Amino acid sequence: MMFPDAQYNIWIDGKMELIVDPLLMLERYLWRGKHTYAIAQHKHHRNVYEEADANKRRKRYARPLIDLQMKIYRYEGMEPWSPLKSTPSGKNG
């Protein structure tokens, strides 16, 4: 881990630019709903599991690594999306 004492981690990849105060992002996406993690909504996929499947189809990354990461997400409580959920990848609320 790059910053072991950090309380929060905001991932910004090469296609993104942070244009707001990071504390506003934490307040809106984590603290209001008392969530433990938040993921930006993809323009084509409703959730991280659809994104994982798309990456496996495109053979962008090693399938076993993608499957392992999805197992970790499920273990940590991220449930697959369903129309009954209040948020795209969140828990029922």
Side-chain angles (χ1 to χ4, degrees):
M1 178 181 272
M2 190 176 283
F3 302 104
D5 296 329
Q7 189 172 1
Y8 299 99
N9 180 359
I10 298 175
W11 175 264
I12 301 171
D13 71 16
K15 297 177 186 173
M16 298 173 70
E17 178 182 358
L18 185 61
I19 58 173
V20 299
D21 182 337
L23 290 176
L24 292 174
M25 294 172 60
L26 295 173
E27 193 277 327
R28 179 176 180 188
Y29 296 109
L30 295 181
W31 299 336
R32 279 187 199 174
K34 298 181 180 167
H35 301 293
T36 55
Y37 52 84
I39 298 174
Q41 187 169 350
H42 191 279
K43 61 183 176 182
H44 300 298
H45 307 114
R46 289 181 289 193
N47 62 64
V48 70
Y49 297 104
E50 286 183 6
E51 177 71 11
D53 288 341
N55 281 321
K56 288 194 292 188
R57 281 193 306 276
R58 286 190 224 107
K59 299 180 182 176
R60 293 189 68 186
Y61 306 100
R63 286 181 86 113
L65 294 177
I66 294 173
D67 292 338
L68 175 62
Q69 188 64 50
M70 295 304 100
K71 285 181 185 177
I72 291 169
Y73 286 156
R74 282 189 187 97
Y75 176 80
E76 292 180 352
M78 182 183 283
E79 300 170 6
W81 182 85
S82 84
L84 304 175
K85 292 183 184 282
S86 60
T87 59
S89 287
K91 293 184 176 189
N92 290 332

